[in-house]
Amino acid sequence: MGKAQPVELPSIHFPTKTKAKEFFKEMLNRYKDGEEVNQDDHVLLHELLLRHPDASDKIGVGVKRFFRGQSPDHPTSCFHVEREDGKSTDFSYPECISSVKPTLEQYFYRACRQSVSEILTIKKNNLFDNGPVRCCKTNEVVTKENSEFRHTTPPFGKIVNYFKKELNRPINTEMFHEDADLQYITRFSDKEIESKFIEFHQKIANLDIFKKFER
């Protein structure tokens, strides 16, 4: 019997690929054809799409929104992405989940995330040093342990896309430290790019405290 393979997204962990498929199947079934997904599901779908073998082609100039719809090539409904240029394409969530080797888009996203992770941890800790903190969605008092410091508007995926446009450079493997396949932590080898992203993120990112698993 093979060893269970976890699926790691920046915002959520699944112990097995089966659990991940169940989660996104349930998400798809919550929507009707033509209906746009909400902001929280948008974040998760963007992170999932980065695992697609053709992520660069699917994302194109950047993701505008996700919606459920039908395609001529498929008898059942599936997730679609509408890009910033107005063009749309469908994608298979099982194909994203089954992907093993990270794509360049995924490496870039992860490296951006890693660039600001320590900064965001410090900011979160500072919030809790000043007294009780409440979930911005439920208004419940939360602790460091049962809360998350998450991006609101724009979502982190859009921040990364905006940065790629400003950077205006093709993504290649030389931008990142060499690492093993399936390694989750990815860092920029180019410190100039890392510094530029930190500065860019600081200018436009908005974050708030959420109770864990509250979406």
Side-chain angles (χ1 to χ4, degrees):
M1 192 172 182
K3 184 179 179 181
Q5 293 182 312
V7 176
E8 291 278 3
L9 301 182
S11 297
I12 193 168
H13 164 86
F14 300 100
T16 65
K17 289 184 176 181
T18 298
K19 290 292 185 184
K21 289 177 182 178
E22 289 173 353
F23 179 89
F24 285 102
K25 181 180 181 180
E26 189 276 332
M27 180 189 290
L28 179 66
N29 289 337
R30 291 203 308 267
Y31 295 97
K32 298 176 182 178
D33 285 346
E35 187 177 1
E36 182 177 349
V37 308
N38 64 37
Q39 186 60 51
D40 292 330
D41 289 344
H42 176 111
V43 171
L44 296 177
L45 285 176
H46 192 283
E47 294 175 356
L48 180 70
L49 183 57
L50 291 171
R51 293 173 59 93
H52 196 285
D54 299 320
S56 295
D57 292 333
K58 295 290 183 182
I59 292 171
V61 297
V63 175
K64 181 178 181 181
R65 68 185 184 109
F66 292 99
F67 64 95
R68 170 177 159 151
Q70 286 191 319
S71 300
D73 300 332
H74 302 286
T76 58
S77 299
C78 60
F79 287 119
H80 286 64
V81 55
E82 181 184 340
R83 298 187 286 256
E84 293 287 356
D85 60 6
K87 296 179 181 178
S88 298
T89 185
D90 61 355
F91 67 97
S92 163
Y93 70 82
E95 188 173 3
C96 296
I97 292 167
S98 297
S99 177
V100 175
K101 185 174 177 59
T103 62
L104 285 175
E105 292 281 347
Q106 196 172 359
Y107 271 124
F108 192 85
Y109 184 97
R110 290 178 178 179
C112 287
R113 192 90 181 189
Q114 186 62 30
S115 297
V116 296
S117 62
E118 186 175 346
I119 296 169
L120 298 186
T121 297
I122 293 171
K123 286 186 175 181
K124 178 183 177 181
N125 289 338
N126 288 341
L127 288 174
F128 283 91
D129 287 342
N130 295 323
V133 177
R134 294 181 179 273
C135 168
C136 70
K137 190 169 183 179
T138 67
N139 204 37
E140 295 177 65
V141 174
V142 293
T143 65
K144 286 182 188 178
E145 291 70 30
N146 73 354
S147 66
E148 299 172 316
F149 192 39
R150 297 206 316 248
H151 290 81
T152 53
T153 303
F156 188 74
K158 286 198 173 185
I159 294 175
V160 173
N161 283 334
Y162 297 155
F163 178 67
K164 279 193 295 186
K165 290 176 185 176
E166 184 168 292
L167 190 64
N168 196 27
R169 284 173 55 179
I171 302 174
N172 58 66
T173 55
E174 294 179 0
M175 288 182 174
F176 317 106
H177 285 295
E178 289 186 16
D179 62 4
D181 289 347
L182 300 180
Q183 179 173 316
Y184 182 62
I185 295 176
T186 304
R187 294 182 172 87
F188 285 117
S189 58
D190 189 325
K191 291 299 180 184
E192 182 182 359
I193 295 178
E194 183 176 83
S195 297
K196 284 182 176 179
F197 180 73
I198 292 172
E199 183 179 354
F200 184 83
H201 179 270
Q202 187 173 358
K203 287 180 182 177
I204 68 172
N206 295 289
L207 296 98
D208 214 329
I209 292 290
F210 290 80
K211 184 179 179 181
K212 264 186 182 178
F213 312 120
E214 183 66 47
R215 301 227 162 253

